[in-house]
Structures are given as structure tokens and as C-alpha cells.
Amino acid sequence: MSPRDRRPPLVSFSSTELESFTSTTSPYDPKSPSDDSDALKKRWYHYLPLCCTVFFILAPHPSWLYVLVDFHLQTLNRPVLFITHLSVSYLLTFLAFSSLIVLVARDPGPVSVPPSRYETTPNDDGEEMGLMDALNDDDDFSAPGKWCRKCWLTILVDHHCPWLGAKCIGHRTYPAFVHFLTCISLLSLYIAVVSGNALWYAFHNPLSIHEYTPIHELALTFMGAAFFIIIGSFAAYHIYLTFTNQTTIENITPFILLRHLPPLPATGHTLSDPPLEPELSGPQRRLVKDAHQQIYLYDIGWRNNFSQVFGWNRPYGWVYRLWYGGASKGDGKTFPRNPRSQELLARLATELVKLDANR
């Protein structure tokens, strides 16, 4: 596999640079021990959004139990339906918490074990690149395979999520993240539909139910619908990213294509090789944005994309991924490329040079 078939290489740094940098800019406690296992400890307030996440998952359940018992068990006298709704809702809750535990507990990416993760690695010119060189580089160090600007970890990062313990969603936790969003969306939709149906019955049979039951049903219907619209939209977006094998950063950053372009001609243009975003004219920027909607660098077919993202090899390997989402395959550094991407990138490079000649 050639260097251009890889996502950008990891950048590591020396322990001296780490101590100098974290003492002034790290979001974590600079007074923590110098031991590597404690170097990135978070403060207590980083976990407050996670507590809110858990609260939002559990908050509807008292009202949900009240509606199930009062309406389905006592009013309708349908114990089978009661057990069905109870089982489905708590199964989805269990699955959501399973993937949430994975997101909180698992290392999000393939960070080397100490002390090798602090060793310098060669840059494109064959010279060693340290921390400050990486941060002063013209490239965006939040790009895939480089730096998360929050955790300061070198991982294949999708995005940084404060709601999950201020952790990155990376190579090894992205499947659990999609699983978590999907379970929460399905749970919200299920509660909204069942509660809405019970509320409709209450409007047509006001004398047959308890006077407080419609209040719980109305609240559950509204909350379930709101969470489904919000979380469900987010889940649908990430399922789309899985279909096309993109990260969030790759999807929202069209100019990331520039670093993957083949070598440009030596003369006939004023662009760097690879071109930098500030160098581009208006027409060139529009060209790159249009190309970004067509060039999916790592799209190897939706079946293979799902297999790669969720990490199964066997025909039915996806079955136990239904429990917690699984983990992506590979080392998080190199990935198979879309066989058509190089041709499309070459065409993009040619068009950029043509537009540059007409400036």
C-alpha cells in the first residue's frame, strides 16, 4: 500500500514536549502525576454531561411504568401486551446502556502504549516531527489520524463528544456510538407511539381511565417524539456516514480532499503541492466542494463498509454486534481505498491546475 493509500500518519511527541505543553494548555489537571496512565485524567465536571445523558435515559421510566400498569394492565386487562411493551422498552434500555458503557470505558483509538507513544516519528521529509512542529503545521491537526483538539490524543477521530464523559468517538468506539444512537432513537419512538396510542384512547374514553394517566401519556408522547426527532436525525446521519465510510470530520470538511491529490505538474500553476485551501480562488473552492459530494475515498461498497466499521468477518458476525455495537477492524491507521477515488482525484487535480492557469 503506497503512502497516498493511507490516511494521514499518526504524529507522536517526546515526553519533554508533552510536559511543557500540558502545563500551559491541557484541559486536564496539570498537577496530576507524571505517570503515563494518569497523565490525561479528567476533572469531575467533565462527567456532568454524562450524568445528564444517563438522567435523560432514565427520566421517562417512572411515567412509562405508570402508563403500562394503569392502562395496559388495569384498564385494558391485557397482560401479554403489558409484558411485551415492558420487555421491548427495557431491552432497548439495556442495549443502550451496554454501548454507553463501552463508549465510556473503552480507549477510543489505537494509541500506542507508553513509552512508545511519546517517541517522535518521521514527517514527510524524513525528519522527526515533535509536538510543537505538529501543532504549528499548516495542516489541520484535527483531521483524521492526527489530533483531537480536546483530548490531545492521536487517533482516527470522528468527533469529540462531551455528553459521553468528554471523550472522543474514535476508531474503536464509533460502532458503539452508532449502536447507542440507534437504540435511543428506537426507544424514544417506541415510547412515543405506545403513549400516543394510549392518549388517543383516553380522549375517546375519558371515564374509563385514571384522571392522572393522560398527563403521563402526554408527557411521554411529547418527550419521545422530541428525542426521536433530535437523536434519530443524528443516528440517521451517522448511518449514512457508515454507508459511505466517512467520519464526521471527513464529511463536513471538503478541503480534506486536497491532501489526497496526486502530485501536481511542476510548472504551469502557482499552487502548492498539495494545494492549500487559502491559495484557492472562488471557482477552485466551488470545484473542490462539488467534488467532495462525489469522491468518497474509503467507500468500498455498503456491505463492506458496514463490515469494516462494525468489525465482523464471518457471515453472521453482525448478530452479537446487536448487543453493544462491536469495534472496528484494523489498526485505525490504514484503510482500503475506493478503487475509483484515485481517478476522480486526478481529474480534480487537473481541473484545479486549469482554473489556476486562468486566474
Side-chain angles (χ1 to χ4, degrees):
M1 184 179 292
S2 65
R4 287 185 176 270
D5 290 336
R6 301 185 177 188
R7 297 195 182 190
L10 296 177
V11 181
S12 57
F13 46 89
S14 66
S15 57
T16 302
E17 291 173 317
L18 176 70
E19 294 174 1
S20 173
F21 182 75
T22 55
S23 64
T24 57
T25 61
S26 173
Y28 304 108
D29 188 0
K31 296 181 181 180
S32 60
S34 58
D35 179 69
D36 293 324
S37 62
D38 297 329
L40 296 176
K41 281 188 175 179
K42 299 182 180 69
R43 296 180 184 272
W44 63 269
Y45 52 77
H46 287 109
Y47 295 96
L48 289 180
L50 175 62
C51 295
C52 292
T53 300
V54 175
F55 171 78
F56 285 134
I57 296 174
L58 297 179
H61 286 275
S63 292
W64 175 244
L65 289 173
Y66 183 91
V67 169
L68 291 182
V69 172
D70 184 76
F71 177 67
H72 295 90
L73 198 58
Q74 296 182 352
T75 302
L76 297 182
N77 193 24
R78 300 180 64 180
V80 174
L81 189 60
F82 166 79
I83 293 175
T84 300
H85 290 326
L86 192 69
S87 301
V88 171
S89 59
Y90 278 94
L91 174 62
L92 290 173
T93 303
F94 170 77
L95 295 178
F97 272 108
S98 297
S99 49
L100 179 61
I101 291 172
V102 171
L103 288 169
V104 174
R106 177 176 285 173
D107 186 337
V111 183
S112 302
V113 295
S116 60
R117 78 182 196 182
Y118 298 129
E119 294 175 357
T120 55
T121 55
N123 60 15
D124 294 337
D125 299 325
E127 300 176 351
E128 290 188 341
M129 178 179 289
L131 173 63
M132 300 313 297
D133 295 327
L135 299 183
N136 291 328
D137 191 8
D138 288 334
D139 287 342
D140 180 9
F141 58 88
S142 67
K146 283 203 169 183
W147 295 93
C148 170
R149 305 170 80 110
K150 301 291 185 180
C151 288
W152 301 107
L153 293 179
T154 52
I155 62 176
L156 176 66
V157 60
D158 182 85
H159 68 283
H160 185 90
C161 187
W163 293 97
L164 301 174
K167 292 192 66 173
C168 275
I169 306 302
H171 177 66
R172 298 181 67 240
T173 55
Y174 185 72
F177 178 70
V178 177
H179 181 274
F180 177 73
L181 294 179
T182 303
C183 290
I184 294 298
S185 301
L186 293 177
L187 178 61
S188 301
L189 178 62
Y190 193 83
I191 290 177
V193 170
V194 174
S195 300
N197 182 66
L199 183 63
W200 181 263
Y201 180 91
F203 278 123
H204 289 80
N205 303 275
L207 300 180
S208 62
I209 60 172
H210 193 277
E211 58 183 336
Y212 295 120
T213 303
I215 299 176
H216 293 276
E217 294 168 349
L218 178 62
L220 288 172
T221 302
F222 175 78
M223 290 180 60
F227 272 84
F228 175 71
I229 292 173
I230 297 172
I231 306 299
S233 300
F234 203 26
Y237 171 67
H238 281 278
I239 292 173
Y240 159 74
L241 293 182
T242 303
F243 265 104
T244 56
N245 210 345
Q246 301 180 78
T247 66
T248 300
I249 295 175
E250 290 168 344
N251 181 256
I252 67 176
T253 313
F255 298 100
I256 201 171
L257 290 177
L258 297 176
R259 69 183 68 205
H260 296 284
L261 292 177
L264 302 180
T267 58
H269 62 87
T270 61
L271 299 172
S272 303
D273 192 6
L276 303 177
E277 179 185 348
E279 300 176 342
L280 302 182
S281 64
Q284 288 173 318
R285 294 172 68 88
R286 286 192 295 272
L287 178 64
V288 174
K289 291 180 179 179
D290 291 340
H292 181 250
Q293 303 299 321
Q294 304 177 27
I295 304 177
Y296 301 120
L297 296 175
Y298 304 99
D299 182 7
I300 53 177
W302 72 269
R303 292 180 183 272
N304 292 328
N305 292 343
F306 268 83
S307 175
Q308 182 188 103
V309 170
F310 287 93
W312 70 75
N313 295 311
R314 295 175 295 179
Y316 295 98
W318 57 270
V319 174
Y320 78 88
R321 262 72 178 182
L322 296 176
W323 175 16
Y324 64 94
S328 298
K329 296 187 295 186
D331 57 5
K333 306 173 187 178
T334 58
F335 299 87
R337 288 281 291 270
N338 181 344
R340 294 187 61 250
S341 64
Q342 201 60 31
E343 175 188 351
L344 296 175
L345 288 170
R347 291 171 54 186
L348 174 61
T350 301
E351 294 299 322
L352 286 174
V353 171
K354 288 182 180 179
L355 290 174
D356 191 70
N358 297 329
R359 295 174 68 172

